[in-house]
Amino acid sequence: MTRYIRRAAVFCALLLVALLVNATRIQVFQAQSYDDNPANRRSSVARWGQPRGNILVGGGKVTGSRDTGEQLRYERTYADGPLYAPVTGFASQVYGTAFLEHSEDGVLSGTDPMLTPFPLWNDLTRAQSRGGNVVTTLDKAAQQAAYTGLGSRKGAVAAVEPSTGRILALVSTPSYDPAVLSGNASATERSWARLNGDPDKPMLNRAIRQTYPPGSTFKVVTAAAALDAGVITDVDAPTDSPAPYTLPGTTTSLTNESEGCEDVSLRTAFEWSCNTVFAKLGADVGVTDMAATAKGFGFNDTGLRIPFSVAPSTFDTSVDKAQLALSSIGQYNTRATPLQMAMVAGAVANGGQVRTPYLVERTTTDDGDTVSSAGSRPVRQAMHPATAVRMKELMEDVVTEGTGTNAAIPGATVGGKTGTAQHGLGNSGTPYAWFVSWAQGERDIEPKVAVAVVVEDASAVRGDITGGGVAAPIARAVMQSVLAP
């Protein structure tokens, strides 16, 4: 009898061990797969069961949470949604997250282990911390000035602080209100379909995800490369440049929009944006040095994040001399985001140094305690300091005497470069109007802001004066807002 009882006890013990092993397998080794299963709504219920943390601009909240009283209880809200959409992105119960809502989701949702002093306890209890906050680098006045300046036109504005890389403005138009994607009702699905089907692409962040031919604004890079390589040693000496200029190895003639470009100095060519001079300079500098200078400014960088990813700006390194000449005036395969061109202007303003741009100053707990901060940013030397001094002079001349006079600010030192980028089959598309610039107040010891503006549906008049007439006033308004006491 005792033997049968012992066997039954051993069998029960084996069953108990099997249950424990199975429970461990499910709760430890397969927990993630169950959590990720679309049929499991517990994670969604927990995710939206408490308010998200907020994104802050200038100390004020531009996001919030609304209690719906439903199973997915809290729904995301946005203050001035279209103004900040290129920065915040959206947080949708159906379609996920984008931009800061995505890259900082761990902090905002409360799942980041740094939000609690006892992360292991949260893991054991499956508890969730309250959502933290994301403090941005944006200047509220600059963001508003850029958005107002673009108005109903397609385009984008990026502004940075040259000495630090802090992003002061990031605007894309047309925009949209992220709040229409927050919930899970049928209206959310209709809004998603409408926004994605809109030919004007309001959900496209043109400031960082759209690349454009930079046109004559790229002449900043070409001039810097020519000075660094020693191809130009005197900015006031004749450049031995014919007008028109026959592209090397071809019978194609390149002309200028303005008269009087033949054999002019670099200073004059920069002021009036002579294509022939800069195309010849690019060919004379050569693809190796041109590519190295472009890389120094940030072109061909596939890893830039601010913290969300930025489309790489490109300078083609596998070109012949004719293609190099066109690339050097911002045409052919040369492409740039507005943020990249703001970095170019910022490098000139910052003694030739490029500071890596960033958008998040710090993250905090819901009580305001710092979780992480941006800290010191990497720096890259795009050109020799002496070259940067010359480039500052040239950009100032554009604003005081050349095509960029509409960017002038009384009492401030402003440097700029206009650009008109032709595109489309046979350059038949309406040109993109560009302006890149930097500004320094009379009481400032260094430039405080660098700006890039692109307007897609600008005046059909061709020539760099278009950038000066359409884009420069927008840049001026953004610079004034930053310089204002």
Side-chain angles (χ1 to χ4, degrees), residues 28 37 44 91 149 180 183 201 226 241 284 308 362 375 427 442 463 473 479:
V28 177
N37 193 309
S44 294
V180 301
K201 299 181 180 179
S241 303
D284 290 346
F308 41 84
R362 65 183 183 278
N427 290 332
E442 56 184 342
M479 291 186 292

Side-chain angles (χ1 to χ4, degrees), residues 47 52-55 76 87-88 97-112 115 131-136 305-308 359-364 371-372:
R47 176 181 178 82
R52 281 174 74 81
N54 287 301
I55 297 171
R76 197 56 151 165
V87 174
T88 63
T97 52
F99 298 133
L100 280 186
E101 293 277 27
H102 179 75
S103 61
E104 300 296 334
D105 183 64
V107 170
L108 295 168
S109 65
T111 58
D112 190 323
L115 290 171
N133 297 322
V134 175
V135 181
T136 71
R305 304 185 68 86
I306 62 170
F308 41 84
L359 188 56
V360 176
E361 197 73 75
R362 65 183 183 278
T363 58
T364 72
V371 173
S372 65

Side-chain angles (χ1 to χ4, degrees), residues 120-146:
L120 290 178
W121 176 254
N122 278 11
D123 288 344
L124 290 173
T125 62
R126 302 185 74 84
Q128 189 166 308
S129 302
R130 296 181 64 180
N133 297 322
V134 175
V135 181
T136 71
T137 60
L138 291 182
D139 182 302
K140 186 176 182 180
Q143 185 81 0
Q144 185 64 63

